[in-house]
Amino acid sequence: MIRFLLRFLGLLLLATAFVFFVYDGTKSIANQQFVYVRVSELWADIDQHSLNAVQDWFKTKMLWAWDPYVRAFFDLPTWIVLAVLATFLVMLGRKKKKLIGYARD
């Protein structure tokens, strides 16, 4: 049941990543330059308060990670982040391969 849920969520996120990929591609073709929706922009559209809370938490608790890593994460294209997360969920939900020639205990 859990594997099914992980695979389902992974495929749903992968489909969403594809939608954002197509959306960014059409905007880039129309503008004749590379345009993409950032993670921070999407998160702000969904819930600005939680975005501010997470950013403030990183600035107070983990200031060493804010500038080089977390800020770069918030500037990534949304479709890349969703695709990586979807790949991770699908891999967690896959069935284990049968071992050929080995006995399982």
Side-chain angles (χ1 to χ4, degrees):
M1 182 67 183
I2 296 296
R3 276 195 256 149
F4 170 75
L5 184 63
L6 289 173
R7 283 192 311 244
F8 178 74
L9 287 175
L11 291 176
L12 190 67
L13 285 177
L14 193 60
T16 307
F18 182 71
V19 168
F20 276 107
F21 178 71
V22 170
Y23 178 74
D24 290 344
T26 55
K27 281 181 69 173
S28 295
I29 290 170
N31 290 336
Q32 297 179 352
Q33 61 183 356
F34 185 60
V35 179
Y36 59 91
V37 177
R38 291 178 172 83
V39 173
S40 59
E41 293 172 4
L42 179 67
W43 195 342
D45 288 342
I46 294 172
D47 186 15
Q48 180 70 41
H49 179 68
S50 67
L51 174 64
N52 291 338
V54 168
Q55 288 178 343
D56 289 341
W57 184 85
F58 271 108
K59 288 178 184 176
T60 58
K61 302 287 184 188
M62 301 180 78
L63 186 60
W64 59 270
W66 170 251
D67 195 27
Y69 306 113
V70 179
R71 186 180 288 180
F73 170 77
F74 283 128
D75 289 337
L76 285 174
T78 303
W79 61 271
I80 290 177
V81 173
L82 289 177
V84 168
L85 183 61
T87 304
F88 180 71
L89 288 175
V90 168
M91 288 181 71
L92 277 178
R94 69 181 176 178
K95 294 182 181 179
K96 294 180 182 177
K97 292 182 180 179
K98 291 185 178 182
L99 295 175
I100 299 174
Y102 295 99
R104 292 192 183 203
D105 292 329

